[in-house]
Amino acid sequence: MLISSIVMNYTPEDVEIWLSDYKITEFYSYKTNTPPHIRFIGLSKTSDFSYAFLDKIIDEMNRRQTIIAQADYDYKAGGGKSNITSFGDYRKVYGKNSMTRLLIIVDEFHVMSQHAQLETEYKTKLENILSEARALGIILLLSDQAIVDGLRGLSDKGKKQIKARIALSNYKDELEETLNEKEADKIRSFIHMKVGEVAVQTIQENEDREEVPTIERAMAIYINGTCRYNVNEKARTIYHAEDYVPDVFDDRVVDPMKIEEIDQWEKENVISHRDGSKDIHIYLGRPVNLGFALHFPLLQRKGNNIMCASGTEEQQMRILRAIISSFARQSDFSVDIMADSYASVYREYKPEILEFGKNYPEIRVHDDLEDICYKIVETLEIIKDRSNTRKQLIVWLGLDSMADILADERNKRTPVLKKAEEKATQSEVSESVSEEESEKTDFNDPALDEFSALFGDMDLFGEEDINEEEPETGKEAQTSYLYDARNDIARIIHLGPTCNVFNLVIYDSASALRDFREVKTLDFNHKIAFPMSDYEAGEFLDQPRLIRELSGQLAYYHNGRSGNRFVPYKL
């Protein structure tokens, strides 16, 4: 009723509305056929969202304070005699539509209140919003079925800032808390209200400028879904907003990765290094903190590797695609995917993973263990080259299973690289050719000519010399490239980032960390987690509580100091 009446009686330039719904049901319908008054809709239950939403409100307050302060300075510089210190003052001087009123409606407010109670910083921010926002033209409407719980995160100072209260039929203790009235006689008549009846408390000032609360009985207007739809549709027509779409955050919705938008955002927000090159920015999805994207830079230093643990095959594939797509934005790059044939994400999405190589020739897939060992030795040579500028990403799928197989290899020696073999072989062939030419020169010796005249032409060197096969060259010259490469893998992961060789390890569960102890979590500054047990989370992140709110489409990113929940980009 309140939203529809505002839409019917005020213009979008006069009143702007933000909606936050922790039950994710009441305001869901406003995602479509949205009146232009509604600029933001938040649908989430996480603490990250609560903190981000409070920060969003604080940012808007700071923006308005800056505008009002500058207006006061300019007004006085132009000869104005009065002060401009509030929203009301500003609109008196600059006109009704110079700054919109902002109505923020929070449904199931007890969730935000509980989250604020857990963090002292945000408990203070919430109280500051309640005490300071009105003067800046920002009004909060806090709605809940149980106000006793809903206001628990507020101090008495915060509760006193709520100047208008509306109560529907409820229990006595709830009515007392909602209406902030402890006298039984004043509450008794409102305990048995009829359907649609409400008790409205407002604060008025008497002659001595003392605040006096008054409670009145009223009848709410019921607006059904059809009426609400018609009101919104008419508003869209009147204000020529037929195609209007509000900013919506819904943590159940999966967004696609749009490289064009990322490129544009980087141009406006990411600062280049002093040498003119940019960090490798990895984009994973939309964060619950309401930012543009959950992203982080890969720097050329130890520890700048990525590990993802747990999750379904689809969730793992979404992370894999997002990271490879982000990495492939570099001008000079290569990606090598080392896959155990039985790794779950590889078995489920093998055609899609092989498709990477068709789209980018710089992306290669290795699912043969001998080929993987050969690539490991080749990568070790790259790490030795401190001047390497080519950005390389190595993706490990099923690394724990690979380690088990490699542990059984008797060959502990690092095999010789193909290039070195070819060079040695070519040298041997050249020496052989030189010897043959020397021997052929001896055939012209006069003594040999005389021998030939007496006994005829004979095969002086035998058939086996004539039919001798050319020596093998390249990879085939070595029987096998398989060897126990576990220590070399650990070396690549530990030192690789210092030479622009970065690693992504995807594990089906955090317990895989115990299966390959040569690879340590300390070498992974960037960790991505999906729902897992507290025990696994303790091993992986050291703090199990960080992922207890994960559900549905959500994942958690942690960089060792802080983290965020996010919705990974869809496939």
Side-chain angles (χ1 to χ4, degrees):
M1 179 199 73
L2 289 169
I3 294 172
S4 294
S5 63
I6 289 171
V7 170
M8 287 189 292
N9 291 285
Y10 296 90
T11 69
E13 290 75 26
D14 192 15
V15 180
E16 176 179 336
I17 302 174
W18 294 358
L19 303 177
S20 174
D21 182 4
Y22 287 95
K23 196 159 57 176
I24 317 182
T25 54
E26 299 301 330
F27 297 149
Y28 182 82
S29 61
Y30 284 106
K31 287 177 65 174
T32 57
N33 190 38
T34 315
H37 304 69
I38 297 177
R39 306 290 175 83
F40 174 79
I41 303 173
L43 306 172
S44 179
K45 298 180 179 180
T46 66
S47 58
D48 292 48
F49 171 76
S50 292
Y51 303 145
F53 192 55
L54 289 171
D55 284 336
K56 181 180 175 71
I57 298 170
I58 292 290
D59 288 344
E60 176 62 17
M61 288 173 58
N62 292 336
R63 186 186 74 84
R64 291 177 176 233
Q65 284 175 334
T66 301
I67 292 173
I68 291 172
Q70 184 63 45
D72 182 59
Y73 176 84
D74 293 342
Y75 183 64
K76 289 177 179 175
K81 302 300 182 182
S82 59
N83 295 323
I84 301 177
T85 59
S86 67
F87 170 79
D89 296 336
Y90 186 89
R91 297 229 302 190
K92 284 179 182 177
V93 174
Y94 292 98
K96 178 181 176 182
N97 293 330
S98 58
M99 185 181 293
T100 61
R101 303 175 197 170
L102 175 57
L103 174 63
I104 300 172
I105 303 178
V106 181
D107 195 24
E108 301 297 331
F109 172 68
H110 73 275
V111 179
M112 175 183 277
S113 177
Q114 289 168 358
H115 291 159
Q117 196 173 15
L118 297 174
E119 295 287 344
T120 304
E121 174 189 358
Y122 284 95
K123 183 176 181 180
T124 302
K125 284 184 177 181
L126 177 56
E127 293 188 353
N128 289 342
I129 289 170
L130 290 172
S131 61
E132 300 171 14
R134 281 196 314 278
L136 300 169
I138 301 174
I139 306 297
L140 270 72
L141 179 83
L142 311 176
S143 171
D144 208 296
Q145 295 184 31
I147 295 298
V148 171
D149 292 329
L151 299 182
R152 186 172 294 168
L154 296 178
S155 65
D156 290 340
K157 176 185 174 183
K159 293 177 183 179
K160 288 179 180 178
Q161 299 303 321
I162 302 174
K163 301 294 185 180
R165 296 163 180 258
I166 302 173
L168 283 74
S169 180
N170 213 325
Y171 298 109
K172 179 175 177 291
D173 59 340
E174 285 291 344
L175 284 171
E176 289 176 347
E177 187 67 46
T178 304
L179 298 173
N180 195 29
E181 182 58 69
K182 305 301 181 184
E183 293 186 22
D185 292 342
K186 294 183 179 180
I187 294 296
R188 188 176 295 112
S189 62
F190 297 103
I191 293 177
H192 301 292
M193 288 188 290
K194 299 177 182 178
V195 174
E197 281 190 318
V198 295
V200 181
Q201 184 207 63
T202 55
I203 303 295
Q204 299 178 357
E205 289 186 353
N206 59 20
E207 295 179 354
D208 298 325
R209 300 186 65 82
E210 296 175 333
E211 292 187 344
V212 179
T214 59
I215 303 176
E216 300 175 306
R217 187 187 297 261
M219 197 70 169
I221 299 172
Y222 174 69
I223 298 179
N224 61 24
T226 301
C227 179
R228 180 172 58 186
Y229 183 90
N230 292 335
V231 167
N232 296 345
E233 189 177 45
K234 187 171 183 180
R236 289 165 69 90
T237 302
I238 291 173
Y239 300 111
H240 308 289
E242 291 86 352
D243 299 325
Y244 173 69
V245 177
D247 180 19
V248 179
F249 178 80
D250 185 345
D251 62 22
R252 300 166 301 174
V253 174
V254 183
D255 295 327
M257 184 179 190
K258 299 178 180 177
I259 297 297
E260 301 80 9
E261 291 184 3
I262 289 174
D263 289 340
Q264 183 61 37
W265 185 85
E266 276 194 359
K267 288 179 182 178
E268 297 173 357
N269 297 279
V270 177
I271 301 174
S272 298
H273 272 202
R274 292 178 182 176
D275 61 2
S277 64
K278 290 184 177 179
D279 300 332
I280 306 172
H281 280 272
I282 303 299
Y283 294 83
L284 298 177
R286 183 166 186 186
V288 179
N289 67 7
L290 305 180
F292 166 74
L294 192 287
H295 67 102
F296 58 88
L298 282 179
L299 307 176
Q300 191 177 339
R301 64 180 64 166
K302 283 184 182 180
N304 264 262
N305 296 305
I306 311 166
M307 182 178 286
C308 175
S310 193
T312 64
E313 289 84 358
E314 180 189 344
Q315 289 171 323
Q316 292 175 2
M317 185 62 186
R318 284 160 60 186
I319 293 296
L320 176 61
R321 180 183 289 276
I323 292 175
I324 290 179
S325 298
S326 299
F327 201 88
R329 297 172 61 244
Q330 310 306 308
S331 58
D332 186 16
F333 79 97
S334 66
V335 177
D336 288 282
I337 301 174
M338 315 291 207
D340 173 60
S341 299
Y342 294 98
S344 58
V345 66
Y346 188 67
R347 292 179 66 185
E348 186 73 22
Y349 288 97
K350 182 176 180 179
E352 289 83 354
I353 292 174
L354 293 176
E355 189 70 22
F356 289 152
K358 295 179 181 178
N359 296 331
Y360 296 96
E362 299 88 352
I363 300 177
R364 297 174 294 274
V365 180
H366 313 272
D367 56 7
D368 174 73
L369 199 54
E370 185 173 349
D371 189 29
I372 290 172
C373 286
Y374 181 81
K375 189 62 190 177
I376 289 170
V377 181
E378 193 175 66
T379 304
L380 287 173
E381 293 297 317
I382 295 174
I383 290 177
K384 292 178 184 177
D385 181 8
R386 307 296 294 183
S387 62
N388 174 55
T389 58
R390 184 181 180 84
K391 307 293 193 299
Q392 180 177 350
L393 176 68
I394 301 181
V395 180
W396 303 92
L397 305 178
L399 182 57
D400 50 328
S401 299
M402 287 186 213
D404 288 341
I405 300 172
L406 293 173
D408 294 333
E409 279 300 315
R410 295 181 180 180
N411 181 18
K412 307 295 181 182
R413 179 179 61 88
T414 301
V416 180
L417 275 178
K418 178 177 179 181
K419 291 180 181 178
E421 286 182 21
E422 288 179 340
K423 186 175 180 181
T425 305
Q426 289 170 2
S427 177
E428 292 172 4
V429 170
S430 298
E431 290 176 7
S432 175
V433 169
S434 298
E435 290 175 4
E436 289 178 10
E437 288 177 349
S438 176
E439 290 171 356
K440 287 178 182 178
T441 304
D442 291 339
F443 293 161
N444 298 324
D445 190 280
L448 288 176
D449 291 341
E450 185 179 345
F451 182 87
S452 180
L454 291 172
F455 299 101
D457 292 336
M458 292 182 64
D459 181 4
L460 300 178
F461 302 98
E463 292 183 5
E464 63 180 10
D465 291 317
I466 296 173
N467 299 321
E468 183 179 2
E469 294 181 0
E470 294 183 3
E472 291 180 314
T473 61
K475 189 174 177 180
E476 295 78 10
Q478 183 164 315
T479 305
S480 174
Y481 275 81
L482 280 174
Y483 76 109
D484 186 358
R486 290 177 297 167
N487 288 331
D488 285 345
I489 293 173
R491 181 177 176 80
I492 289 171
I493 291 174
H494 184 63
L495 296 177
T498 63
C499 303
N500 284 317
V501 178
F502 306 93
N503 296 268
L504 164 64
V505 174
I506 295 181
Y507 280 142
D508 289 340
S509 68
S511 61
L513 291 166
R514 298 191 298 271
D515 296 333
F516 190 9
R517 294 196 178 276
E518 285 84 352
V519 173
K520 306 180 186 304
T521 56
L522 292 175
D523 285 320
F524 295 85
N525 289 346
H526 310 285
K527 298 176 184 176
I528 302 162
F530 289 97
M532 59 180 70
S533 67
D534 280 0
Y535 178 74
E536 286 185 303
E539 271 196 311
F540 187 51
L541 296 172
D542 298 326
Q543 302 179 58
R545 69 176 184 83
L546 294 176
I547 62 171
R548 284 177 183 158
E549 289 186 15
L550 290 186
S551 60
Q553 303 286 355
L554 290 178
Y556 184 77
Y557 164 79
H558 198 261
N559 63 10
R561 301 179 302 278
S562 61
N564 279 306
R565 293 168 183 82
F566 69 99
V567 184
Y569 292 123
K570 69 180 179 181
L571 293 176

